[in-house]
Amino acid sequence: MLDVRYPIGFLFLILGALLAIYGYGHPATFNTVNGPFPLNIDVPWGIFMFLFGMGTVSLAKLDEVKKAEQEPASAAAAIEPEAPSSTSKTEPTGQEES
Amino acid sequence: MEKAGPTTAQLVDYLVVVVYFVFVLGVGFKLKKNMHTAEDFLLAGHNCGQEGKSSISIPTWVTGLAFLSANLGAIEVMGMAANAAQYGVMTAHFYWLGAIPAMVFLAVFMMPFYYKSKIRSVPEYLRKRFNEPTRAFNAFSFAIMTVLMSGMNLYAMAIVFQMVLGWPIHASIWLAAVVVLAYTITGGLTSSIYNEVMQFFLIVFGLLPLSIMGALRFGSWEAIADALKAPGMSHLWMEVAGGSNPMGTDMLGLVMGLGFVLSFGYWCTDFLVIQRAMAAKDLHGAQLTPIVAAFPKILFPVLTVFPGLLAIIAMPQLGSNNAGLSYNNAIPYLMAAVYPNGMFGLGMTALLASFMSGMAGNVTAFNTVWTYDIYQTYLAKNKSDAHYLWVGRAATAIGIVISVGTAYLVMGFPSIMDYMQTVFSFFNAPLFATFLLGMFFKRTSPWGAFWGLVAGTGAAVIHYVLCEQGKLVYSTAMAGNFHRSVAAWTVCFVVTLMISYLTKPKDVSELKGLVWGVGIEDGDDLKKPPFLLRPGVLGCILLLVTIVLNLIFY
């Protein structure tokens, strides 16, 4: 099953990079209470979105690694208790033979 | 904050939209391989208690954000901003008086019934609790309501793209319809939920800079309140008692109409949102879904109400009768006024995402109710699962086509919010009385519920006709909606009670798990979650924060 954090993360990585790069090449100002502010909102917001995307993908990746680490352990734990019953299953019964 | 002139779309803005479309469609196609059964497609694998049947397991944070985002359509974004431009801060009552208490009530008191009764839809609960006619009435009225609401999102999107990007209105409607169709018909409810989460973040990232830039521009809340001039525009409660507030409503209409009937009616009975919570992996997840959604919801006025206030300050000529500068367009106008290219594309994409999530939410609720509550019940019983999966997909396509038709209906209303509250006052207001009595009063009889629902809906229709004819006059359309919902709820409540005492109720043994105090605890083998993760505890925290916000903006 798809981890939704991957599409979210990659979407914001791409959009963030797009905005930051475009904004860097197109300087602008906007007026604040203290007068004009020489910053194009594209740049900080693009960087913020890019970092958010990185964080989201990293979290998804971290969970994937954790799951992969747990899987051998849980598989081993699942096999252990079943060992006696699987042995007993090897004993032939009339039904199996038929 | 203002620039030399409004921003017009450039290549970078279109690129943002294209990237978003690629991801939305990609999620739908990626999830297609998980859609094996009708339940996978229509219910996101919530298989009504049949453990281990589905491969789909959606985390609570995902269902929570989808719960919030399904409601985050045109209503929430453009409608709330339009309302704020027209009525001021009082619009925040939709959140701090209505939504949050209703979401807490749903999580703590109603979700256990929905989840544990193993129903697939809200109308199905009505069949189990009452009878087939009550389910049929609700299923048909809900199906009508969802396509009406879905069309509203399409219309909202079309006017934005026509106004800001210059796209033809018909082309915008069909483009959005085709994209939503593509990802809902492939990945079903799961795809809709996943996209809603993605859209949630996109909406936040696309709208938040408006508020940040507004805060930087004015420096303080006091400066904004001064710029709004009328004190009622910057206060929640100050002018409510006298009725001379911008919303034109009195205490009864506001508290009973909005705070109780409309809000609880929507959040506690609308299958569109309940469906998201029911897709959770267990009961605790289902209960936490509205709670997870309520925490960001408290802060949503920052994204919707605040930009609406900024818009009316920046463009005082906005008005409901001003075709060129309608209240509905407050947010897109503000974006064009303050965002540079790039950010402008992101803002437009956020609006697009909001409309698409609102539309997909309605369409996925429609296809479930159509397939299970109408088609399977009345038209084709005992067919194979593959057959119902096909019908679910066909219903998705038909729902979208009907939505395109209803998009044109919306054009006759002064504002999106007025349209929406009119629709809700017809359908959700009486239904909440039915649910309240059904879940918490075991004497409520099946025929009492049915006739109460019919009478309540009829009362709403009569009230609407009287308003249209000028025999009932309210100072604003919103005040009329609040009073209509109170009338519909009261008539439904009283008629249900009266007929319940005249007709035979269901035997208590048939009500197990459906009515408060009748066996809901039985079979509850879930261990209690940690204290701070209990829905009741988190609900109290939410209510406390809501009270504080009401006091701050009194």
Side-chain angles (χ1 to χ4, degrees), chain A residues 2 12 22 31 33 40 42 45, chain B residues 1 194 205 216 340-341 343:
Chain A
L2 173 71
F12 284 102
Y22 178 83
N31 296 325
V33 72
N40 189 338
D42 283 355
W45 205 247
Chain B
M1 186 167 157
Y194 272 37
F205 279 110
L216 285 170
N341 287 109
M343 197 60 228

Side-chain angles (χ1 to χ4, degrees), chain B residues 20-266:
Chain B
Y20 166 68
F21 274 172
V22 168
F23 273 80
V24 162
L25 296 175
V27 166
F29 284 104
K30 183 85 182 160
L31 289 170
K32 193 180 175 200
K33 67 177 190 315
N34 294 84
M35 301 298 119
H36 306 297
T37 66
E39 282 173 349
D40 287 341
F41 184 76
L42 297 166
L43 306 172
H46 168 59
N47 45 39
C48 313
Q50 299 162 53
E51 294 299 328
K53 195 178 166 186
S54 174
S55 62
I56 300 170
S57 172
I58 303 179
T60 305
W61 73 270
V62 173
T63 54
L65 292 184
F67 182 94
L68 183 62
S69 197
N71 164 259
L72 208 56
I75 311 152
E76 188 78 10
V77 177
M78 281 177 63
M80 287 292 181
N83 244 27
Q86 192 173 0
Y87 304 128
V89 173
M90 283 185 78
T91 304
H93 280 307
F94 281 90
Y95 300 86
W96 299 336
L97 176 66
I100 304 301
M103 288 160 93
V104 171
F105 186 80
L106 168 68
V108 177
F109 297 106
M110 292 179 76
M111 195 45 76
F113 295 105
Y114 282 129
Y115 200 87
K116 295 195 75 177
S117 57
K118 299 180 179 19
I119 52 161
R120 295 172 299 184
S121 66
V122 165
E124 196 164 284
Y125 174 86
L126 293 174
R127 179 184 63 76
K128 281 192 165 189
R129 171 62 184 89
F130 299 118
N131 55 14
E132 196 57 56
T134 313
R135 185 249 281 263
F137 187 84
N138 178 242
F140 280 102
S141 58
F142 181 79
I144 295 167
M145 187 177 81
T146 48
V147 290
L148 287 174
M149 299 301 285
S150 176
M152 185 187 69
N153 284 289
L154 269 180
Y155 165 69
M157 182 157 39
I159 56 168
V160 168
F161 286 100
Q162 184 194 39
M163 186 186 69
V164 183
L165 303 177
W167 293 358
I169 200 156
H170 302 291
S172 302
I173 286 178
W174 283 103
L175 175 70
V178 166
V179 174
V180 174
L181 175 68
Y183 79 79
T184 49
I185 210 163
T186 47
L189 177 62
T190 313
S191 172
S192 179
I193 287 176
Y194 272 37
N195 272 308
E196 280 158 11
V197 176
M198 202 154 75
Q199 285 152 353
F200 167 81
F201 288 108
L202 206 57
I203 292 163
V204 172
F205 279 110
L207 294 178
L208 193 56
L210 273 183
S211 302
I212 294 172
M213 291 166 89
L216 285 170
R217 165 71 180 82
F218 286 96
S220 68
W221 170 246
E222 285 71 26
I224 293 170
D226 285 345
L228 285 167
K229 295 186 180 89
M233 289 290 282
S234 56
H235 287 84
L236 282 169
W237 293 98
M238 200 171 81
E239 293 183 343
V240 174
S244 60
N245 51 77
M247 213 174 253
T249 185
D250 52 13
M251 198 61 92
L252 175 78
L254 190 67
V255 177
M256 180 75 181
L258 172 63
F260 182 61
V261 179
L262 276 175
S263 299
F264 279 66
Y266 176 74

Side-chain angles (χ1 to χ4, degrees), chain B residues 503-526:
Chain B
T503 52
K504 190 173 174 287
K506 272 193 164 180
D507 193 81
V508 175
S509 63
E510 294 177 78
L511 302 179
K512 200 173 172 187
L514 298 169
V515 182
W516 189 258
V518 187
I520 189 72
E521 295 86 3
D522 293 354
D524 190 356
D525 51 356
L526 284 173

